[in-house]
Amino acid sequence: MTTTQQIVSIQMSKQVRARGGKMLAYLVLLALLFITLFPLWWVLRTALTSPTFVFSHTSSLLPVNPTTQNFERVLGLIDTSDLVGEGVVTSYMSTATLDFWVFLRNSFIVSSAITLGQTVFSSMAAYAFARIKFPLRDTIFFIYLTGLMIPSIVLFIPNFVFIRQLGWIGTYQGIIAPTFLMTPFAVFFMRQFFLGLNKDLEEAAIIDGATRIGLFWRIALPLVKGPILTLAILTFIGSWNEYLWPLLVGRDENVRVLTVALGIFREQTPQGSPDWAGLMAGTAVSIVPAIVIFLFFGRKVVDSIQFSGFK
């Protein structure tokens, strides 16, 4: 075999290995995609299945005796007392009502307030740690950052005692207060972007007479609109999915959020077996806002997280 033939053979071997590696990568990605999306599909499949057939035909990947009745019950479009009169209610169907729109409103109020508070105050703190020089700045930031290593469950009892002493149990402010100001993640996330801003712009603004507050609001903040939007999305989705703290503090129906309402709805089936079809219908509707937000702004979220280096 000549030298040219050997080179061609080596190149073909490399191309075959590269194609094999690419195929393997695609197969792994497809497997991960299936593992991620299958639970979501099963939620939809159960929500569209007639309650009578939820525990039968479990090997079927498609809804059994498809119906939208579960969604109509959750959204209040059907009165369950009418279903009882018509004999439609089975042992797998709950007659409990879910005041869906009120709980959805409460979730929006709580999530929006936490998102607004965290975005504003975390940005201010991050700018101070990134741009303002004061004694022990880096040491204070390091100590503050160690809060990332403290499990949030550890803070539940002191937060609960504090909120109870304030008389905020069963109120919006009781649910919102512990996460309203800022979190170590949010401050660290925003600080990474403020550190990357061009100092020349700020120095030019100072020469023109800008104050430190003016620098923050008029120069720095507009330059980090993208990261702020990313932080707002992440905070909103996290607050939307929060369950344990709203369960402890906001069990009252006037302030009950959707995640807690779905949990209580699951426990209200008289026969003891949860109304899985109704519960999955409520769950499917409750995740729609988060999915819509991520569909529109998902690319920006991924880009900002990659830039910050936060894993």
Side-chain angles (χ1 to χ4, degrees), residues 130-148:
R131 288 299 199 212
I132 301 175
K133 293 182 180 179
F134 55 88
L136 301 176
R137 182 189 66 176
D138 294 337
T139 305
I140 295 173
F141 178 68
F142 175 77
I143 294 173
Y144 182 69
L145 208 60
T146 55
L148 281 171

Side-chain angles (χ1 to χ4, degrees), residues 91-104:
S91 58
Y92 303 112
M93 184 188 297
S94 172
T95 56
T97 58
L98 184 66
D99 203 346
F100 185 82
W101 297 111
V102 173
F103 302 143
L104 187 70

Side-chain angles (χ1 to χ4, degrees), residues 62-309:
L62 298 176
V64 182
N65 192 18
T67 177
T68 58
Q69 190 184 72
N70 301 316
F71 288 97
E72 293 171 7
R73 281 194 296 129
V74 168
L75 295 175
L77 302 177
I78 295 179
D79 191 349
T80 53
S81 59
D82 294 338
L83 297 178
V84 174
E86 296 170 5
V88 179
V89 174
T90 68
S91 58
Y92 303 112
M93 184 188 297
S94 172
T95 56
T97 58
L98 184 66
D99 203 346
F100 185 82
W101 297 111
V102 173
F103 302 143
L104 187 70
R105 179 204 64 189
N106 294 339
S107 287
F108 265 112
I109 291 173
V110 170
S111 301
S112 300
I114 292 174
T115 301
L116 180 64
Q118 276 205 29
T119 304
V120 172
F121 293 113
S122 296
S123 299
M124 295 171 71
Y127 181 77
F129 281 124
R131 288 299 199 212
I132 301 175
K133 293 182 180 179
F134 55 88
L136 301 176
R137 182 189 66 176
D138 294 337
T139 305
I140 295 173
F141 178 68
F142 175 77
I143 294 173
Y144 182 69
L145 208 60
T146 55
L148 281 171
M149 292 181 281
I150 301 175
S152 59
I153 191 73
V154 175
L155 304 174
F156 267 42
I157 293 177
N159 281 339
F160 182 79
V161 172
F162 184 58
I163 293 296
R164 188 179 60 183
Q165 289 177 343
L166 291 173
W168 286 357
I169 298 295
T171 63
Y172 285 124
Q173 57 266 38
I175 303 174
I176 295 168
T179 49
F180 180 70
L181 293 178
M182 61 188 84
T183 62
F185 165 74
V187 174
F188 173 80
F189 182 80
M190 290 306 303
R191 180 178 174 268
Q192 297 300 99
F193 295 99
F194 283 122
L195 286 174
L197 295 182
N198 191 344
K199 291 183 178 178
D200 294 341
L201 288 173
E202 296 180 70
E203 290 172 355
I206 291 173
I207 293 173
D208 289 341
T211 62
R212 181 58 72 178
I213 296 176
L215 284 177
F216 173 70
W217 286 107
R218 297 175 185 171
I219 305 295
L221 215 53
L223 293 174
V224 292
K225 283 181 182 174
I228 287 176
L229 179 63
T230 301
L231 177 63
I233 293 169
L234 294 176
T235 306
F236 186 88
I237 293 175
S239 305
W240 186 269
N241 294 326
E242 185 63 41
Y243 174 74
L244 189 53
W245 179 253
L247 176 68
L248 290 175
V249 179
R251 291 181 68 91
D252 189 272
E253 284 198 14
N254 294 325
V255 298
R256 186 180 299 167
V257 297
L258 198 52
T259 50
V260 177
L262 290 173
I264 293 176
F265 177 78
R266 185 178 65 86
E267 300 168 356
Q268 288 181 336
T269 309
Q271 293 80 8
S273 176
D275 178 5
W276 289 113
L279 184 62
M280 291 301 107
T283 303
V285 177
S286 70
I287 61 178
V288 168
I291 291 177
V292 170
I293 289 173
F294 209 79
L295 283 177
F296 280 99
F297 304 106
R299 185 68 257 174
K300 193 173 288 295
V301 171
V302 173
D303 289 344
S304 296
I305 290 176
Q306 286 177 341
F307 181 83
S308 70

